[in-house]
Protein backbone atom coordinates (compact mmCIF):
# COMPACT_ATOMS: atom_id res chain seq x y z
CA UNK A 1 0.00 0.00 0.00
CA UNK A 2 2.76 2.49 1.00
CA UNK A 3 6.47 2.07 0.30
CA UNK A 4 9.31 4.47 1.05
CA UNK A 5 12.70 3.36 -0.20
CA UNK A 6 15.92 5.22 0.60
CA UNK A 7 14.08 8.54 0.72
CA UNK A 8 16.15 11.71 1.09
CA UNK A 9 14.69 15.22 1.23
CA UNK A 10 16.90 18.30 1.31
CA UNK A 11 15.96 21.97 1.25
CA UNK A 12 18.10 24.86 0.12
CA UNK A 13 18.28 27.64 2.69
CA UNK A 14 20.11 30.94 2.94
CA UNK A 15 22.67 29.29 5.21
CA UNK A 16 23.10 26.16 3.06
CA UNK A 17 21.47 22.76 2.63
CA UNK A 18 19.02 21.41 5.22
CA UNK A 19 18.29 17.68 5.41
CA UNK A 20 14.69 17.14 6.56
CA UNK A 21 14.43 13.38 5.88
CA UNK A 22 17.38 11.06 5.48
CA UNK A 23 17.51 7.43 4.29
CA UNK A 24 13.87 6.70 5.17
CA UNK A 25 12.62 3.18 4.52
CA UNK A 26 9.05 2.19 5.38
CA UNK A 27 6.48 -0.38 4.33
CA UNK A 28 2.88 0.15 5.43
CA UNK A 29 0.33 -2.55 4.68
CA UNK A 30 -3.20 -2.14 3.38
CA UNK A 31 -5.69 -1.55 6.20
CA UNK A 32 -2.95 -0.85 8.74
CA UNK A 33 -2.95 1.99 11.27
CA UNK A 34 0.64 3.19 11.26
CA UNK A 35 2.03 5.87 13.56
CA UNK A 36 5.00 8.16 12.93
CA UNK A 37 6.12 9.85 16.14
CA UNK A 38 8.72 12.49 16.82
CA UNK A 39 9.22 15.88 18.42
CA UNK A 40 9.22 19.18 16.51
CA UNK A 41 11.91 19.22 13.86
CA UNK A 42 12.10 15.44 13.60
CA UNK A 43 10.92 15.42 9.97
CA UNK A 44 7.34 14.20 10.50
CA UNK A 45 5.63 17.01 8.59
CA UNK A 46 8.00 16.63 5.65
CA UNK A 47 7.30 12.88 5.68
CA UNK A 48 3.55 13.37 5.36
CA UNK A 49 4.02 15.93 2.56
CA UNK A 50 6.10 13.37 0.72
CA UNK A 51 3.27 10.87 1.04
CA UNK A 52 0.66 13.15 -0.53
CA UNK A 53 2.95 14.58 -3.19
CA UNK A 54 3.14 18.13 -1.83
CA UNK A 55 6.91 17.55 -1.68
CA UNK A 56 9.09 15.50 -4.01
CA UNK A 57 12.04 13.58 -2.57
CA UNK A 58 15.54 14.70 -3.46
CA UNK A 59 16.22 11.03 -4.07
CA UNK A 60 14.54 7.71 -3.35
CA UNK A 61 11.07 6.30 -4.04
CA UNK A 62 7.64 7.08 -2.56
CA UNK A 63 4.83 4.73 -3.65
CA UNK A 64 1.23 5.07 -2.42
CA UNK A 65 -1.78 3.06 -3.62
CA UNK A 66 0.05 1.91 -6.73
CA UNK A 67 1.25 5.38 -7.71
CA UNK A 68 4.88 6.47 -7.75
CA UNK A 69 4.26 9.74 -5.94
CA UNK A 70 7.93 10.67 -6.24
CA UNK A 71 7.73 11.02 -10.02
CA UNK A 72 4.15 11.61 -11.20
CA UNK A 73 2.70 15.07 -11.78
CA UNK A 74 -0.22 16.89 -13.36
CA UNK A 75 -3.36 14.87 -14.06
CA UNK A 76 -1.87 11.61 -12.77
CA UNK A 77 -0.92 13.24 -9.45
CA UNK A 78 -4.43 14.67 -9.10
CA UNK A 79 -5.85 11.18 -9.69
CA UNK A 80 -3.54 9.76 -7.03
CA UNK A 81 -4.67 12.38 -4.54
CA UNK A 82 -8.25 11.17 -4.96
CA UNK A 83 -7.05 8.05 -3.14
CA UNK A 84 -4.99 9.91 -0.53
CA UNK A 85 -6.93 12.11 1.88
CA UNK A 86 -5.85 14.17 4.86
CA UNK A 87 -7.08 15.61 8.17
CA UNK A 88 -5.32 18.44 9.95
CA UNK A 89 -4.50 19.67 13.44
CA UNK A 90 -6.48 22.90 13.03
CA UNK A 91 -9.34 21.40 11.00
CA UNK A 92 -8.98 23.68 7.90
CA UNK A 93 -12.74 24.02 7.47
CA UNK A 94 -14.47 26.59 5.26
CA UNK A 95 -16.03 28.93 7.83
CA UNK A 96 -18.69 30.30 5.46
CA UNK A 97 -20.04 26.79 4.78
CA UNK A 98 -22.21 24.57 6.94
CA UNK A 99 -21.22 21.10 8.10
CA UNK A 100 -22.87 19.40 5.14
CA UNK A 101 -21.47 21.96 2.69
CA UNK A 102 -17.95 21.43 4.03
CA UNK A 103 -18.31 17.67 3.62
CA UNK A 104 -19.74 18.09 0.11
CA UNK A 105 -16.92 20.38 -1.06
CA UNK A 106 -14.50 17.68 -2.37
CA UNK A 107 -17.45 15.98 -4.10
CA UNK A 108 -18.27 19.23 -5.89
CA UNK A 109 -14.66 19.53 -7.05
CA UNK A 110 -14.78 15.93 -8.30
CA UNK A 111 -17.91 16.73 -10.33
CA UNK A 112 -20.29 14.46 -8.42
CA UNK A 113 -23.98 15.22 -9.12
CA UNK A 114 -26.20 16.90 -6.54
CA UNK A 115 -28.30 13.85 -5.67
CA UNK A 116 -25.25 11.58 -5.25
CA UNK A 117 -23.54 14.30 -3.18
CA UNK A 118 -26.47 14.59 -0.80
CA UNK A 119 -26.64 10.82 -0.38
CA UNK A 120 -22.91 10.57 0.35
CA UNK A 121 -22.98 13.53 2.77
CA UNK A 122 -25.86 11.94 4.71
CA UNK A 123 -23.90 8.69 5.02
CA UNK A 124 -20.81 10.50 6.28
CA UNK A 125 -22.71 12.68 8.76
CA UNK A 126 -24.13 9.49 10.27
CA UNK A 127 -20.74 7.75 10.25
CA UNK A 128 -18.91 10.48 12.18
CA UNK A 129 -21.70 11.14 14.69
CA UNK A 130 -22.90 14.57 13.55
CA UNK A 131 -26.56 13.77 12.94
CA UNK A 132 -28.61 16.91 13.67
CA UNK A 133 -25.66 19.28 13.16
CA UNK A 134 -25.75 19.34 9.35
CA UNK A 135 -26.82 23.01 9.13
CA UNK A 136 -24.39 24.29 11.76
CA UNK A 137 -21.41 26.46 10.87
CA UNK A 138 -17.89 25.72 12.15
CA UNK A 139 -18.10 28.62 14.63
CA UNK A 140 -21.02 26.81 16.29
CA UNK A 141 -19.11 23.55 16.78
CA UNK A 142 -16.78 22.24 19.48
CA UNK A 143 -13.21 21.25 18.62
CA UNK A 144 -14.15 17.59 18.50
CA UNK A 145 -17.13 18.26 16.22
CA UNK A 146 -14.94 20.31 13.87
CA UNK A 147 -12.52 17.43 13.60
CA UNK A 148 -15.40 15.07 12.88
CA UNK A 149 -16.36 17.33 9.97
CA UNK A 150 -12.73 17.22 8.80
CA UNK A 151 -12.75 13.43 8.94
CA UNK A 152 -16.05 13.17 7.05
CA UNK A 153 -14.77 15.57 4.37
CA UNK A 154 -11.57 13.51 4.05
CA UNK A 155 -13.64 10.36 3.48
CA UNK A 156 -15.98 11.90 0.91
CA UNK A 157 -14.26 10.50 -2.19
CA UNK A 158 -13.70 7.02 -0.69
CA UNK A 159 -9.91 7.30 -0.32
CA UNK A 160 -7.68 4.30 0.27
CA UNK A 161 -5.26 6.18 2.54
CA UNK A 162 -6.04 8.66 5.32
CA UNK A 163 -3.16 10.87 6.48
CA UNK A 164 -3.59 12.45 9.91
CA UNK A 165 -1.27 15.37 10.66
CA UNK A 166 -1.32 15.91 14.45
CA UNK A 167 -5.09 15.43 14.18
CA UNK A 168 -5.70 15.38 17.95
CA UNK A 169 -3.07 17.85 19.19
CA UNK A 170 -5.58 20.72 19.49
CA UNK A 171 -8.07 18.64 21.48
CA UNK A 172 -8.51 17.88 25.19
CA UNK A 173 -7.76 14.31 26.39
CA UNK A 174 -11.38 13.13 26.46
CA UNK A 175 -12.11 14.46 22.99
CA UNK A 176 -8.81 13.02 21.73
CA UNK A 177 -9.90 9.54 22.86
CA UNK A 178 -13.27 9.96 21.14
CA UNK A 179 -11.63 10.98 17.84
CA UNK A 180 -9.16 8.08 18.07
CA UNK A 181 -12.06 5.69 18.67
CA UNK A 182 -13.75 7.12 15.57
CA UNK A 183 -10.61 6.62 13.45
CA UNK A 184 -10.32 3.05 14.72
CA UNK A 185 -13.98 2.39 13.86
CA UNK A 186 -13.50 3.83 10.35
CA UNK A 187 -10.39 1.72 9.83
CA UNK A 188 -12.20 -1.45 10.86
CA UNK A 189 -15.38 -0.76 8.87
CA UNK A 190 -13.82 0.59 5.67
CA UNK A 191 -10.42 -1.12 5.68
CA UNK A 192 -8.80 2.23 5.00
CA UNK A 193 -5.05 2.61 5.66
CA UNK A 194 -4.38 5.27 8.30
CA UNK A 195 -1.06 7.05 8.82
CA UNK A 196 -0.87 9.10 12.01
CA UNK A 197 1.73 11.83 12.55
CA UNK A 198 2.02 12.74 16.22
CA UNK A 199 4.28 13.67 19.13
CA UNK A 200 2.04 11.89 21.67
CA UNK A 201 2.75 8.27 22.58
CA UNK A 202 -0.77 7.91 23.95
CA UNK A 203 -2.10 8.24 20.40
CA UNK A 204 0.29 5.52 19.19
CA UNK A 205 -0.55 3.22 22.09
CA UNK A 206 -4.29 3.50 21.68
CA UNK A 207 -4.90 2.63 18.02
CA UNK A 208 -1.72 1.97 16.02
CA UNK A 209 -0.60 -1.46 14.85
CA UNK A 210 2.99 -0.37 14.19
CA UNK A 211 5.09 2.74 14.77
CA UNK A 212 8.16 4.49 13.38
CA UNK A 213 10.12 6.83 15.64
CA UNK A 214 11.80 9.82 13.99
CA UNK A 215 14.62 12.01 15.25
CA UNK A 216 16.64 14.60 13.31
CA UNK A 217 15.16 13.45 10.00
CA UNK A 218 15.91 9.77 10.50
CA UNK A 219 13.76 6.77 11.41
CA UNK A 220 15.64 5.56 14.46
CA UNK A 221 13.30 2.70 15.35
CA UNK A 222 10.20 0.98 14.01
CA UNK A 223 8.13 -2.08 14.75
CA UNK A 224 5.01 -3.53 16.32
CA UNK A 225 3.72 -1.13 18.99
CA UNK A 226 3.71 -3.76 21.74
CA UNK A 227 7.27 -4.82 20.93
CA UNK A 228 8.47 -1.22 20.89
CA UNK A 229 6.83 -0.63 24.27
CA UNK A 230 8.40 -3.78 25.68
CA UNK A 231 11.93 -3.20 24.40
CA UNK A 232 12.55 0.36 23.23
CA UNK A 233 16.06 0.64 21.83
CA UNK A 234 16.69 4.27 20.92
CA UNK A 235 16.92 6.83 23.73
CA UNK A 236 14.19 8.94 22.12
CA UNK A 237 11.88 5.91 21.99
CA UNK A 238 12.46 5.24 25.70
CA UNK A 239 11.51 8.85 26.39
CA UNK A 240 8.28 8.50 24.44
CA UNK A 241 7.38 5.20 26.11
CA UNK A 242 7.91 6.80 29.52
CA UNK A 243 5.13 9.27 28.66
CA UNK A 244 2.53 6.56 29.20
CA UNK A 245 4.32 4.25 31.65
CA UNK A 246 5.80 6.65 34.21
CA UNK A 247 4.56 9.45 36.43
CA UNK A 248 6.07 12.09 38.66
CA UNK A 249 4.59 10.30 41.69
CA UNK A 250 6.35 6.99 41.06
CA UNK A 251 9.64 8.75 40.30
CA UNK A 252 9.40 10.46 43.68
CA UNK A 253 8.66 7.14 45.40
CA UNK A 254 11.67 5.56 43.69
CA UNK A 255 14.00 8.35 44.74
CA UNK A 256 13.04 7.77 48.37
CA UNK A 257 14.05 4.08 48.16
CA UNK A 258 17.29 4.16 46.21
CA UNK A 259 19.50 4.25 49.27
CA UNK A 260 18.10 1.12 50.94
CA UNK A 261 21.09 -1.33 51.01
CA UNK A 262 18.95 -4.37 51.88
CA UNK A 263 16.78 -4.35 48.78
CA UNK A 264 16.78 -3.88 45.04
CA UNK A 265 14.44 -1.77 42.98
CA UNK A 266 13.38 -3.58 39.82
CA UNK A 267 11.23 -2.53 36.89
CA UNK A 268 9.20 -5.39 35.46
CA UNK A 269 7.62 -5.38 32.03
CA UNK A 270 4.65 -7.64 31.23
CA UNK A 271 3.18 -8.07 27.76
CA UNK A 272 0.16 -9.95 26.45
CA UNK A 273 -1.36 -12.55 28.77
CA UNK A 274 1.51 -12.19 31.26
CA UNK A 275 0.02 -8.81 32.24
CA UNK A 276 -3.04 -10.68 33.55
CA UNK A 277 -1.29 -13.51 35.46
CA UNK A 278 -0.42 -13.55 39.20
CA UNK A 279 3.36 -13.70 38.71
CA UNK A 280 4.16 -11.54 41.76
CA UNK A 281 1.93 -13.59 44.06
CA UNK A 282 3.75 -16.76 43.02
CA UNK A 283 7.14 -15.09 43.52
CA UNK A 284 6.27 -14.11 47.10
CA UNK A 285 5.01 -17.63 47.94
CA UNK A 286 8.03 -19.37 46.42
CA UNK A 287 11.00 -17.25 47.53
CA UNK A 288 12.00 -15.89 50.93
CA UNK A 289 11.71 -12.24 49.88
CA UNK A 290 9.46 -9.29 50.69
CA UNK A 291 7.98 -7.44 47.72
CA UNK A 292 6.70 -3.89 47.95
CA UNK A 293 4.95 -2.49 44.88
CA UNK A 294 6.09 1.08 44.27
CA UNK A 295 4.22 1.81 41.05
CA UNK A 296 2.17 -0.11 38.51
CA UNK A 297 0.51 0.63 35.21
CA UNK A 298 -1.25 -1.43 32.54
CA UNK A 299 -1.95 0.04 29.11
CA UNK A 300 -3.95 -1.43 26.26
CA UNK A 301 -2.40 -1.53 22.79
CA UNK A 302 -3.80 -2.86 19.52
CA UNK A 303 -1.61 -5.97 19.97
CA UNK A 304 -2.57 -6.66 23.58
CA UNK A 305 -1.98 -5.34 27.12
CA UNK A 306 1.35 -3.88 28.19
CA UNK A 307 2.18 -3.45 31.86
CA UNK A 308 5.05 -2.06 33.90
CA UNK A 309 5.62 -2.58 37.59
CA UNK A 310 8.23 -1.04 39.85
CA UNK A 311 8.86 -3.26 42.90
CA UNK A 312 11.25 -3.22 45.82
CA UNK A 313 12.44 -6.76 46.57
CA UNK A 314 13.97 -7.13 50.05
CA UNK A 315 15.92 -10.14 51.38
CA UNK A 316 19.36 -11.67 51.16
CA UNK A 317 21.23 -11.34 47.88
CA UNK A 318 20.92 -15.03 46.95
CA UNK A 319 17.14 -15.08 47.31
CA UNK A 320 16.76 -11.81 45.40
CA UNK A 321 18.83 -13.25 42.54
CA UNK A 322 16.71 -16.40 42.51
CA UNK A 323 13.57 -14.29 42.38
CA UNK A 324 14.92 -12.32 39.42
CA UNK A 325 15.88 -15.56 37.63
CA UNK A 326 12.34 -16.83 38.17
CA UNK A 327 10.92 -13.66 36.58
CA UNK A 328 13.23 -14.07 33.59
CA UNK A 329 12.06 -17.66 33.21
CA UNK A 330 8.46 -16.45 33.14
CA UNK A 331 9.24 -14.14 30.18
CA UNK A 332 8.85 -11.10 32.36
CA UNK A 333 11.47 -8.53 31.44
CA UNK A 334 13.26 -7.29 34.57
CA UNK A 335 15.61 -4.35 34.88
CA UNK A 336 17.43 -3.48 38.09
CA UNK A 337 17.21 0.23 38.80
CA UNK A 338 20.66 1.34 39.91
CA UNK A 339 21.23 3.21 43.13
CA UNK A 340 21.70 6.92 42.77
CA UNK A 341 25.31 8.05 42.94
Amino acid sequence: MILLKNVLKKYKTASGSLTAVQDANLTIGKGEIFGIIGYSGAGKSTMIRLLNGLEKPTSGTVQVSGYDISTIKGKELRQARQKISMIFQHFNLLWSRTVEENIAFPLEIAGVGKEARQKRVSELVEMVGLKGREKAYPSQLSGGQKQRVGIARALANNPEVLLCDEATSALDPETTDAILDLLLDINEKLGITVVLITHEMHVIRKICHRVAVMEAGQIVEQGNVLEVFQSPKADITKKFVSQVTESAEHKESISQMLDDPNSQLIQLTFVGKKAEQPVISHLIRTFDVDVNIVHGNISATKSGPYGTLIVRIAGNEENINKAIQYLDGEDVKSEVIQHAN
Side-chain angles (χ1 to χ4, degrees):
M1 175 56 67
I2 298 176
L3 173 67
L4 276 71
K5 187 175 181 181
N6 302 324
V7 171
L8 173 70
K9 179 60 182 179
K10 289 187 175 183
Y11 294 100
K12 292 181 179 179
T13 67
S15 57
S17 179
L18 172 66
T19 300
V21 174
Q22 182 175 348
D23 195 30
N25 291 278
L26 277 180
T27 301
I28 302 173
K30 180 176 174 60
E32 188 173 13
I33 304 179
F34 192 93
I36 300 175
I37 189 169
Y39 290 116
S40 296
K44 308 186 306 298
S45 295
T46 300
M47 183 75 81
I48 206 167
R49 290 171 68 85
L50 289 166
L51 291 175
N52 63 17
L54 289 175
E55 298 282 358
K56 296 293 185 182
T58 305
S59 63
T61 302
V62 178
Q63 295 179 353
V64 183
S65 291
Y67 290 90
D68 188 346
I69 303 296
S70 51
T71 60
I72 61 173
K73 55 186 177 180
K75 182 180 179 180
E76 193 174 7
L77 179 57
R78 289 193 294 273
Q79 289 175 340
R81 285 177 175 159
Q82 292 291 312
K83 296 186 177 183
I84 307 168
S85 206
M86 192 161 175
I87 59 174
F88 306 88
Q89 178 180 0
H90 296 296
F91 321 125
N92 287 16
L93 302 181
L94 298 171
W95 293 86
S96 62
R97 284 177 170 248
T98 64
V99 166
E100 60 184 3
E101 289 170 343
N102 264 282
I103 298 171
F105 185 61
L107 296 170
E108 293 174 22
I109 294 174
V112 177
K114 185 177 179 180
E115 186 176 340
R117 285 203 312 267
Q118 290 177 335
K119 183 174 184 289
R120 181 61 176 157
V121 168
S122 295
E123 293 172 353
L124 291 166
V125 164
E126 184 78 32
M127 183 181 295
V128 301
L130 287 173
K131 193 71 174 174
R133 302 294 286 162
E134 297 94 329
K135 304 297 182 183
Y137 287 90
S139 60
Q140 300 171 308
L141 303 176
S142 67
Q145 289 172 330
K146 291 173 187 172
Q147 195 58 283
R148 288 173 185 270
V149 177
I151 293 170
R153 180 184 60 187
L155 296 174
N157 283 316
N158 295 300
E160 296 178 1
V161 176
L162 181 61
L163 306 177
C164 306
D165 188 7
E166 298 279 7
T168 60
S169 295
L171 306 175
D172 62 75
E174 184 176 351
T175 306
T176 291
D177 280 347
I179 293 298
L180 293 177
D181 286 338
L182 175 59
L183 290 173
L184 182 59
D185 185 57
I186 289 168
N187 167 260
E188 292 176 346
K189 286 181 177 178
L190 304 181
I192 191 169
T193 303
V194 180
V195 181
L196 286 166
I197 302 292
T198 184
H199 64 274
E200 301 172 300
M201 200 62 175
H202 166 72
V203 173
I204 301 295
R205 175 193 64 77
K206 187 171 177 66
I207 69 168
C208 292
H209 299 99
R210 291 192 300 132
V211 61
V213 183
M214 291 194 71
E215 184 178 26
Q218 293 184 303
I219 297 173
V220 296
E221 189 165 352
Q222 61 177 299
N224 177 280
V225 169
L226 190 59
E227 293 172 356
V228 169
F229 265 68
Q230 181 184 16
S231 303
K233 296 177 177 62
D235 289 341
I236 188 70
T237 310
K238 293 175 183 177
K239 188 173 182 179
F240 277 123
V241 170
S242 72
Q243 289 181 359
V244 291
T245 59
E246 296 183 4
S247 67
E249 290 80 5
H250 102 254
K251 287 179 180 178
E252 182 179 352
S253 298
I254 288 173
S255 67
Q256 294 172 355
M257 296 183 176
L258 284 175
D259 292 329
D260 186 347
N262 299 314
S263 64
Q264 288 193 41
L265 278 169
I266 300 174
Q267 176 171 302
L268 308 177
T269 303
F270 304 81
V271 295
K273 293 183 178 180
K274 285 296 178 184
E276 303 168 356
Q277 295 180 2
V279 175
I280 298 300
S281 297
H282 185 74
L283 183 146
I284 294 171
R285 290 196 302 267
T286 305
F287 303 95
D288 186 16
V289 292
D290 293 322
V291 178
N292 178 35
I293 296 175
V294 178
H295 173 79
N297 181 59
I298 293 180
S299 299
T301 76
K302 284 285 294 177
S303 303
Y306 166 89
T308 59
L309 198 63
I310 305 291
V311 298
R312 181 175 66 87
I313 301 180
N316 65 52
E317 185 175 355
E318 181 181 357
N319 287 338
I320 291 177
N321 289 336
K322 287 180 179 179
I324 294 173
Q325 289 173 7
Y326 161 74
L327 293 170
D328 291 339
E330 290 294 308
D331 292 328
V332 176
K333 182 182 175 183
S334 60
E335 180 183 355
V336 176
I337 299 174
Q338 298 299 322
H339 284 36
N341 293 325

